[in-house]
RNA sequence: GGUCCCGUAGCUCAGUCGGAUAGAGCGCUAGCCUCCGAAGCUAGAGGUCACAGGUUCGAAUCCUGUCGGGACCGCCA
């Protein structure tokens, strides 16, 4: 097969070429063809691939869809690579591929190997994916895991689509919570010096992970900090404590296989004058004013009083109400810091930004997007992906967690119990905006109830056949370049067709920012492979290995190598191992 | 009061930049190991895609409204 790109792309180009030819011949007026696509028909009996071209063009061309479909079909029949080209109501053109064309895609899979499925739709464009961004005040817990995995896999996916991706973490190291952290660490410091600190006060972080920070402070400063006033020791203690928390968080993330490259500090953004820049810029655009906000509804805010303060006209960009940028005392709000941070990203060259947030931040989407639009004159684009809650179950029973009681499940505990692979896969086996149930009992189960094992098992099974093939002396020293002429059974071709969809799936998942599609695709590919395998049990002529027939065996070994390649490629996008055996 | 998300088979969910007869797993019923991994496979039953309107040649998908479930609302972070 000639041409570049994967099967679907090539077919789409052929359809477009046919339309162009019809235009030239004066049979169709020139029209917008951006909506023309090729896809796998949902129902059986409509060929391998279909195009909606005639339906899309019917209106602009002023002709009945069936008539246009006939014209396209006539044009496409000139291409020899189709078994059948059929027109179907209301105006689809259905293509049935020749087996030669199907197996040619297998050759392509084997030729490109670990790169099969990559595309260049991102064309080197810079994109920033910010995820996790947990407050640096303690270890990561279950609530952070979903967003962490989602962001990481989305970044992988964008890389597969040819984007220049930056994986980023925003450190909230400037708010009150890091002062509380510093005070909590200071208490542990006194403890490390031998003082009896009694119970940890309500307004401090009780976690024992701070003991190590206290000891480190004692080693570094001796008793010298005890004599100082809080205003003197706090900055230094805060710095040490934040650095220590961040180190712990990075270690937590590594447990999940996640390594981010850029850690943006809120404090540094502020020190560079980020807030002043925001105020100046918005003011210049006439988007600031002094005003009084309505009191919040639905929730009591005990200390709310109507006050005049600096507001951002975010309603001009789709927000529900204008937002405060300065507190009553004139200090900047968290929101204005966030605006400064996003503008910092934009100035670092990221006009395309993706934030991965937890469900509890859903209400902040509009204002942040409004701010990016306003600050960048619409040149910056921010997509915000909200990951819904994870409900932790153990054998169908909800695991109750409480931060106060310290019964929160940490990332580390989760990975230790469920394993990295199962954790990552299951976090993606649901759309990001739907609530996810994560059942410990299910994710470690080794059966087809458990998608991660089902997919990994398919890979292990494939490898098992390849090992057996290696031990067949009659297969050695055969020419590797094959035309796969022996692969003609419909079930074999089905597997290759499923494989051929992989690049399409990767591209679409990246474009939609929906990593879960990869997980579902892999489940389907594993399924058609298991089906083919079992078919060999029923029908011995379909068994993969047959020492009486080397030609067929070699072709089938190629098929299996292709399946294992794609399973492995897809799993690598998910950051999940592709095991060679699972016994 | 308002914003966002969800509502598809008994259960858990895919499918949604509009496309053909709406799919999978679990559970249920009936089968398949002398045979490359049965951790698997085959067949069957099971649906007015929450409801009501609208747009369209065509709606699970888009728009409006209603009902049900969840997250949330700040000068906090």
């Amino acid at each position: 097969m000639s041409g570049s790109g994967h099967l679907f792309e090539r077919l789409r180009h052929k359809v477009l070429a046919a339309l162009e030819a019809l235009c030239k011949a004066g049979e169709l007026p020139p029209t917008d063809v951006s909506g023309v696509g090729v896809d796998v028909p949902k129902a059986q009996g409509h060929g391998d691939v279909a195009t909606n071209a005639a339906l899309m063009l019917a209106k602009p061309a002023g002709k009945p869809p069936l008539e246009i479909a006939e014209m396209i079909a006539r044009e496409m029949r000139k291409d020899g690579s189709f078994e059948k080209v059929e027109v179907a109501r209301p105006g689809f053109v259905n293509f049935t591929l020749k087996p030669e064309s199907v197996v040619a895609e297998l050759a392509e899979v084997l030729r490109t190997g670990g790169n099969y499925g990559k595309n260049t739709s991102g064309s080197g464009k810079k994109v920033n994916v910010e995820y996790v961004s947990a407050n640096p005040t303690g270890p990561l817990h279950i609530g952070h895991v979903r967003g962490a995995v989602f962001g990481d896999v989305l970044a992988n996916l964008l890389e597969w689509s040819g984007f220049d991706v930056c994986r980023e973490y925003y450190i909230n190291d400037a708010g009150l919570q890091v002062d509380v952290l510093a005070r909590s660490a200071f208490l542990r410091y006194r403890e490390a010096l031998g003082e009896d600190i009694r119970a940890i006060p309500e307004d401090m972080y009780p976690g024992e992970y701070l003991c190590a920070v206290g000891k480190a402070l004692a080693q570094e400063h001796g008793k010298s900090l005890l004599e100082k006033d809080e205003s003197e020791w706090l900055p230094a203690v805060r710095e040490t404590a934040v650095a220590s928390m961040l180190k712990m968080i990075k270690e937590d993330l590594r447990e999940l296989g996640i390594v981010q490259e850029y850690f943006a500090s809120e404090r540094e953004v502020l020190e560079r004058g980020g807030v002043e820049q925001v105020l100046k810029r918005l003011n210049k655009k006439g988007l600031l004013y002094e005003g009084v906000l309505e009191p919040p509804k639905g929730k009591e805010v005990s200390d709310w009083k109507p006050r005049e303060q600096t507001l951002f006209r975010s309603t001009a960009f789709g927000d529900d109400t204008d937002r405060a940028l300065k507190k009553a005392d004139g200090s900047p709000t968290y929101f204005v810091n966030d605006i400064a941070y996003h503008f910092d990203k934009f100035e670092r060259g990221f006009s395309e930004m993706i934030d991965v947030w937890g469900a509890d931040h859903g209400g902040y989407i509009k204002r942040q997007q409004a701010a990016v639009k306003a600050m960048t004159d619409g040149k910056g684009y921010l997509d915000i992906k909200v990951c819904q809650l994870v409900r932790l179950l153990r054998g169908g029973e909800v695991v109750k967690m409480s931060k106060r009681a310290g019964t929160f499940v940490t990332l580390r505990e989760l990975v230790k119990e469920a394993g990295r692979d199962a954790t990552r896969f299951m976090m993606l086996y649901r759309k990001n905006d739907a609530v996810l149930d994560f059942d410990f009992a299910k994710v470690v189960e080794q059966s087809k109830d458990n998608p991660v094992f089902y997919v990994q098992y398919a890979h292990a099974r494939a490898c098992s056949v390849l090992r057996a093939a290696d031990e067949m002396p009659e297969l050695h020293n055969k020419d590797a370049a094959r035309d796969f002429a022996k692969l003609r059974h419909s079930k074999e071709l089905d597997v290759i067709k499923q494989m051929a969809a992989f690049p399409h799936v990767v591209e679409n998942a990246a474009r939609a920012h929906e990593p879960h599609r990869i997980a579902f695709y892999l489940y389907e590919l594993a399924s058609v492979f298991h089906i083919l395998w079992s078919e060999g049990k029923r029908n011995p002529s379909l068994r993969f290995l047959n020492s009486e027939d080397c030609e067929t065996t070699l072709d089938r070994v190629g098929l299996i190598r292709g399946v294992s390649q794609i399973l492995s490629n897809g799993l690598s996008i998910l950051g999940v191992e592709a095991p060679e055996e699972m016994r």
Side-chain angles (χ1 to χ4, degrees):
Chain A
M1 197 173 272
S2 63
S4 63
H6 54 80
L7 192 60
F8 285 84
E9 208 177 306
R10 286 196 299 270
L11 282 170
R12 182 164 184 269
H13 282 140
K14 284 184 181 178
V15 171
L16 294 180
L19 293 176
E20 211 179 306
L22 290 167
C23 264
K24 265 194 191 141
E27 298 188 63
L28 278 179
T31 42
D32 174 30
V33 293
S34 59
V36 171
V38 296
D39 231 317
V40 179
K42 274 184 194 167
Q44 297 286 318
H46 294 289
D48 298 321
V49 194
T51 179
N52 61 351
L55 293 159
M56 296 302 292
L57 297 185
K59 192 167 268 181
K63 288 182 194 237
L66 280 174
E67 189 179 318
I68 300 177
E70 283 297 351
M71 284 157 53
I72 295 170
R74 201 185 61 221
E75 202 60 35
M76 294 294 282
R77 285 191 188 105
K78 294 177 185 167
D79 189 299
S81 59
F82 303 110
E83 184 87 41
K84 275 188 293 187
V85 179
E86 296 163 303
V87 170
R89 285 188 318 127
F92 289 100
V93 184
N94 297 327
F95 307 101
T96 303
L97 297 167
K98 280 188 180 167
E100 297 91 294
S101 313
V102 175
V103 297
E105 192 64 14
L106 173 58
E108 179 68 9
V109 172
L110 296 176
R111 195 182 64 73
T112 42
N115 288 320
Y116 185 78
K118 289 188 178 168
N119 69 84
T120 55
S121 59
S123 55
K125 200 173 170 218
K126 285 180 80 171
V127 57
N128 185 293
V129 185
E130 182 217 319
Y131 54 109
V132 191
S133 298
N135 279 339
T137 54
L140 298 180
H141 55 76
I142 177 107
H144 300 115
V145 174
R146 191 175 183 185
V149 173
F150 180 92
D152 196 51
V153 175
L154 177 56
N156 289 344
L157 209 41
L158 292 168
E159 277 172 355
W160 272 65
S161 286
F163 284 92
D164 177 7
V165 182
C166 178
R167 296 152 195 268
E168 183 151 330
Y169 185 117
Y170 180 46
I171 313 163
N172 292 121
D173 54 1
L176 292 175
Q177 80 282 1
V178 284
D179 291 345
V180 172
L181 175 75
R183 285 186 205 105
S184 311
F186 191 77
L187 199 62
R188 295 298 189 176
Y189 160 73
R190 282 163 47 199
E191 182 183 46
L193 291 173
E195 198 175 315
D196 180 5
I197 59 168
R198 312 286 191 102
I200 309 287
E202 276 284 310
D203 58 353
M204 293 208 194
Y205 295 116
E208 291 186 6
Y209 51 87
L210 285 173
C211 295
V213 181
K215 280 182 194 148
L217 287 168
Q219 255 187 358
E220 194 187 338
H221 299 279
K223 296 195 170 179
S224 68
L225 298 182
L226 292 176
E227 293 133 31
K228 292 185 181 171
D229 195 62
E230 180 181 293
S231 61
E232 290 180 82
W233 58 252
L234 193 129
V237 170
R238 188 176 55 202
E239 193 175 330
T240 304
V242 167
S244 165
M245 293 302 102
L246 218 49
K247 183 162 172 281
M248 181 171 65
I249 287 169
K250 287 180 190 178
E251 281 162 10
D252 284 352
L253 288 171
R254 202 160 295 134
E255 291 291 307
L256 267 178
I258 293 173
V259 177
Q260 284 155 291
E261 64 191 79
Y262 193 94
F263 286 76
S265 155
E266 180 181 12
R267 189 167 291 278
E268 284 174 22
V269 171
L270 299 184
E271 281 165 3
R272 284 199 293 271
V275 169
E276 292 73 18
Q277 193 180 16
V278 169
L279 294 173
K280 206 170 134 190
R281 202 174 167 89
L282 291 179
N283 193 38
K284 221 161 127 189
K285 296 174 194 297
L287 294 170
L288 294 191
Y289 67 100
E290 299 297 315
V292 180
L293 286 175
E294 293 284 304
K297 290 182 178 172
K299 186 181 152 191
E300 283 286 309
V301 179
S302 52
D303 56 350
W304 192 89
K305 281 179 200 153
R307 291 163 173 147
E308 188 170 272
Q309 55 195 139
T310 304
L311 304 178
F312 163 44
R313 209 177 291 283
S314 55
T315 45
F317 300 87
D319 200 0
D320 309 308
T321 171
D322 292 338
R323 305 290 172 179
L325 298 187
K326 281 186 185 175
K327 302 181 194 172
D329 64 3
S331 62
T333 60
Y334 180 82
F335 180 43
V336 75
N337 292 359
D338 250 2
I339 299 177
Y341 167 55
H342 281 85
F343 190 61
D344 178 74
K345 285 195 232 185
F346 179 73
E347 292 211 304
R348 278 190 275 132
F350 298 105
S351 54
E352 189 166 344
M353 302 168 242
I354 303 169
D355 285 7
V356 180
W357 289 358
D360 52 345
H361 284 67
Y364 298 80
I365 295 175
K366 284 183 181 177
R367 78 188 64 167
Q368 194 58 61
Q369 288 180 328
V372 167
K373 260 188 231 162
M375 288 293 290
T376 66
D377 298 311
K379 292 189 191 105
Y381 175 73
L382 171 66
D383 187 19
I384 298 173
K385 305 297 282 190
V386 170
C387 288
Q388 278 297 334
L389 301 180
V390 175
R391 209 161 54 129
L392 207 51
L393 306 170
R394 206 180 287 280
E397 296 284 312
V398 176
V399 178
K400 293 213 171 98
M401 287 180 288
S402 147
K403 238 176 187 171
R404 179 163 297 181
T407 56
F408 234 74
V409 175
T410 64
L411 177 151
R412 230 165 253 250
E413 289 163 343
L414 179 71
V415 174
K416 192 174 172 196
E417 183 167 349
R420 178 196 288 187
D421 285 350
T423 302
R424 290 188 63 116
F425 196 100
M426 290 314 292
M427 287 295 161
L428 294 165
Y429 207 61
R430 197 107 313 170
K431 288 181 293 212
N432 62 288
D433 44 17
V435 175
L436 170 84
D437 281 354
F438 188 98
D439 193 325
F440 279 117
K442 275 266 158 61
V443 301
V444 297
E445 193 173 298
Q446 308 208 342
S447 76
K448 67 176 173 182
D449 293 19
N450 179 0
V452 59
F453 274 94
Y454 186 78
V455 173
Q456 288 184 315
Y457 177 48
H459 185 266
R461 250 185 167 179
C463 290
S464 151
V465 180
L466 296 176
R467 276 193 300 274
D470 272 345
E471 281 167 26
M472 292 171 67
E474 54 271 45
L475 298 184
H476 292 169
N477 303 318
K478 296 276 182 179
D479 186 8
R482 309 200 58 80
D483 62 3
F484 301 109
K486 300 290 187 184
L487 299 180
R488 287 297 179 271
H489 192 277
S490 68
K491 287 229 160 49
E492 291 171 330
L493 297 175
D494 282 349
V495 174
I496 302 175
K497 288 171 193 169
Q498 182 69 24
M499 288 161 58
F502 182 60
H504 200 230
V505 171
V506 170
E507 190 172 339
N508 287 339
R511 201 194 52 229
H513 298 165
E514 289 185 351
H516 74 274
R517 296 191 194 191
I518 303 294
F520 283 94
Y521 167 79
L522 289 174
Y523 186 89
E524 277 171 42
L525 178 60
S527 176
V528 293
F529 176 65
H530 286 309
I531 288 169
L532 179 61
W533 180 292
S534 301
E535 200 61 26
K537 291 208 170 289
R538 207 165 301 114
N539 175 359
S541 72
L542 274 177
R543 288 168 61 85
F544 300 130
L545 305 179
N546 175 4
S547 53
E548 308 286 300
D549 185 349
C550 287
E551 284 305 304
T552 302
T553 299
L554 282 166
D555 278 1
R556 289 179 178 164
V557 165
L559 173 64
I560 291 167
R561 193 160 280 139
V563 170
S564 83
Q565 181 71 61
I566 292 181
L567 288 171
S568 147
N569 289 7
L571 287 170
S572 83
I573 293 176
L574 303 186
V576 173
E577 290 290 318
E580 296 193 358
E581 38 182 348
M582 302 182 75
R583 285 175 196 280

